[in-house]
Amino acid sequence: ACLVGSEMCIRDRYHGEDYFSFYGHNFENLVFEKERVKRGQIIGLIGNSGETSGPHLHFEIWKNGVAIDPSIFISEYRLEN
């Protein structure tokens, strides 16, 4: 994990070094810089940092420096064909 204030990014070694996920507006980060995290591990608490209308999570997945739709990685949100 890399930490900057209320933000965190995590490199995804499972899918390759070209992926990382970003989490913003955290109230508290529960992991340390360069700490390995596991699937399902609680890594932070949702917060209300910055200019927001209420507590929420800013979540992004990036591949090769380009943001991609994170819903394809979350089975509950995958579009059924």
Side-chain angles (χ1 to χ4, degrees):
C2 61
L3 308 174
V4 179
S6 65
E7 301 173 347
M8 169 187 326
C9 66
I10 297 178
R11 288 242 175 250
D12 183 348
R13 293 178 188 233
Y14 178 79
H15 290 101
E17 289 291 322
D18 48 350
Y19 281 91
F20 74 87
S21 52
F22 174 85
Y23 307 83
H25 300 292
N26 302 330
F27 172 73
E28 182 179 0
N29 295 323
L30 301 177
V31 296
F32 299 100
E33 182 118 15
K34 298 185 180 179
E35 179 179 347
R36 286 185 179 246
V37 297
K38 297 177 183 170
R39 176 182 275 178
Q41 179 179 345
I42 298 174
I43 59 173
L45 303 176
I46 292 175
N48 191 21
S49 65
E51 293 185 35
T52 66
S53 59
H56 69 285
L57 173 66
H58 186 108
F59 174 61
E60 300 174 359
I61 295 181
W62 290 70
K63 179 181 181 184
N64 295 321
V66 177
I68 59 176
D69 184 355
S71 68
I72 62 175
F73 295 94
I74 304 169
S75 60
E76 290 81 1
Y77 293 100
R78 286 190 191 134
L79 296 175
E80 299 296 325
N81 293 332

